[in-house]
């Protein structure tokens, strides 16, 4: 038997912050991941007093921050946008340290399979800058799995020169929904980088080109428009086999959070509670 702490995305509760934290405590999670990209929790709006107030509220419910989410919605494939995106991402890294986690997760875009592709080099430069900055302040910039296989992502991360500031936020559902990749194989491929995970489930409905799915190529050919490629489902009802996946995390010595992310559905609290129960049942076997 093994045990990982269970967390949940603050936004998955779809409640005001105070209510979400109270609900998280009631359900029994121990950690919270929070978006810090815009609105009240963006770094430019989080004054020292607001950070202290939020931390006090969090701790009053017996919670900690498992990570912050710094996904700015653009990835890092556009050289013209990257300077401002990198600067904003650095401020989110700073905020993560103030909020006592030091882990920032984000989607970086679709990594091309060809390392000689112009976008590959652009993404490489941006991620190297962020990883170096995170390393310099004692934090981790964690790339979320999704549009590429774990083998392709590992090659990309290895190309950043071994900086300790880069990590991986392993989302097993993204792998099965988009690439059809095996989460167990992904754990072993990325074992040197995993610092945070999402507990999410899903199914692939149609295999597609990630560059079309994520809108990297413009325009998307007409025959690929309007297709539902995947569906996120309540945890335990999709194609992520959490028994073998959690066993793999245990095998590599991972000790971090399983952070529940539920991005759709009409009953968020019930779905998060179901996810907690499923994860606890798997860990108790």
């Amino acid at each position: 038997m093994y045990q990982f702490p269970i967390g949940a995305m603050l936004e998955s509760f779809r409640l005001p912050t105070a209510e979400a934290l109270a609900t998280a405590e009631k359900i029994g999670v121990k950690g919270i991941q929070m978006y810090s990209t815009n609105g009240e929790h963006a770094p430019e709006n989080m004054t020292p007093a607001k950070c202290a107030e939020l931390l006090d509220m969090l701790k009053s419910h017996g919670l900690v921050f498992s990570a912050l989410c710094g996904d700015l919605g653009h990835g890092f494939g556009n050289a013209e946008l990257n300077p401002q995106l990198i600067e904003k991402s650095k401020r989110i890294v700073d905020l993560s340290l103030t909020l006592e986690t030091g882990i920032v997760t984000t989607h970086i875009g679709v990594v091309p399979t060809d390392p000689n592709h112009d976008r590959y080099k652009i993404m490489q430069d941006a991620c190297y800058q962020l990883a170096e900055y995170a390393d310099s302040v004692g934090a981790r910039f964690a790339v979320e799995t999704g549009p590429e296989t774990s083998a392709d992502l590992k090659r990309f991360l290895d190309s950043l020169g071994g900086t300790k500031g880069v990590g991986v936020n392993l989302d097993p559902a993204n792998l099965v929904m988009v690439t059809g990749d095996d989460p167990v194989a992904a754990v072993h491929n990325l074992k040197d980088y995993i610092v945070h995970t999402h507990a999410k489930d899903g199914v692939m409905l149609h295999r597609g080109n990630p560059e079309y799915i994520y809108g990297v190529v413009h325009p998307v050919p007409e025959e690929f428009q309007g297709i539902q490629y995947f569906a996120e489902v309540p945890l335990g009802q999709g194609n992520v086999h959490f028994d073998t996946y959690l066993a793999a995390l245990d095998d590599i010595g991972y000790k971090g959070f399983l952070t529940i992310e539920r991005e759709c559905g009409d009953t968020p609290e019930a779905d998060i509670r179901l996810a907690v129960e499923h994860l606890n049942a798997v860990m108790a076997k």
Side-chain angles (χ1 to χ4, degrees):
M1 189 177 78
Y2 44 84
Q3 192 69 40
F4 301 102
I6 298 174
M9 290 288 297
L10 179 70
E11 290 73 18
S12 291
F13 289 99
R14 287 179 249 160
L15 293 169
T17 300
E19 292 180 45
L21 296 180
T23 303
E25 180 185 19
K26 180 176 67 175
I27 289 175
V29 304
K30 299 301 181 184
I32 290 291
Q33 184 179 12
M34 179 181 78
Y35 271 81
S36 296
T37 53
N38 53 54
E40 65 174 327
H41 296 142
E44 62 269 22
N45 296 323
M46 290 294 289
T47 64
K50 287 184 178 179
C51 288
E53 180 183 8
L54 180 58
L55 274 175
D56 285 346
M57 188 190 312
L58 188 81
K59 292 176 180 180
S60 74
H61 292 289
L63 300 166
V64 298
F65 279 115
S66 66
L68 297 186
C69 181
D71 189 350
L72 298 172
H74 296 280
F76 295 97
N78 186 323
E80 293 182 2
L81 291 179
N82 277 354
Q84 67 190 68
L85 296 176
I86 291 168
E87 188 60 30
K88 177 71 174 277
S89 297
K90 288 179 178 179
R91 301 292 75 77
I92 297 172
V93 169
D94 293 340
L95 178 62
S96 77
L97 292 168
T98 302
L99 295 178
E100 301 178 1
T101 171
I103 297 174
V104 174
T105 75
T106 190
H107 285 280
I108 61 170
V110 180
V111 177
T113 54
D114 180 4
N116 295 312
H117 193 291
D118 288 345
R119 194 172 73 252
Y120 194 101
K121 297 179 185 304
I122 292 168
M123 295 173 70
Q124 216 174 19
D125 178 66
C127 291
Y128 180 77
Q129 289 184 55
L130 285 166
E132 282 284 281
Y133 182 75
D135 190 23
S136 74
V137 296
R140 299 296 287 273
F141 171 73
V143 177
E144 183 164 342
T145 55
E148 55 282 312
T149 66
S150 62
D152 284 339
L153 180 58
K154 181 181 185 300
R155 279 192 290 271
F156 177 80
L157 297 176
D158 287 348
S159 78
L160 300 181
T163 171
K164 295 179 180 179
V166 70
V168 162
N169 175 46
L170 204 156
D171 187 316
N174 289 348
L175 294 171
V176 303
M177 292 191 298
V178 179
T179 67
D181 205 5
D182 176 13
V184 171
V187 168
H188 291 286
N189 283 338
L190 298 168
K191 61 181 172 39
D192 295 331
Y193 292 102
I194 301 168
V195 295
H196 190 261
T197 72
H198 278 165
K200 190 170 74 180
D201 210 346
V203 295
M204 179 189 288
L205 302 177
H206 297 283
R207 185 177 292 276
N209 182 332
E211 294 193 339
Y212 295 162
I213 295 173
Y214 287 92
V216 174
V217 174
H218 298 286
V220 175
E222 187 174 347
E223 63 266 31
F224 296 106
Q225 296 178 16
I227 298 174
Q228 184 180 358
Y229 288 99
F230 55 81
E232 183 199 328
V233 298
L235 196 143
Q237 298 179 21
N239 289 338
V240 178
H241 304 298
F242 280 89
D243 50 353
T244 55
Y245 170 63
L246 297 188
L249 288 173
D250 183 61
D251 285 344
I252 67 164
Y254 176 72
K255 303 295 183 185
F257 272 91
L258 311 173
T259 298
I260 297 161
E261 182 180 35
R262 184 71 171 125
E263 298 185 280
C264 57
D266 298 325
T267 55
E269 181 179 337
D271 287 350
I272 295 169
R273 187 183 298 276
L274 177 70
V276 171
E277 292 171 353
H278 185 75
L279 292 171
N280 279 327
V282 170
M283 288 189 285
K285 289 181 179 179

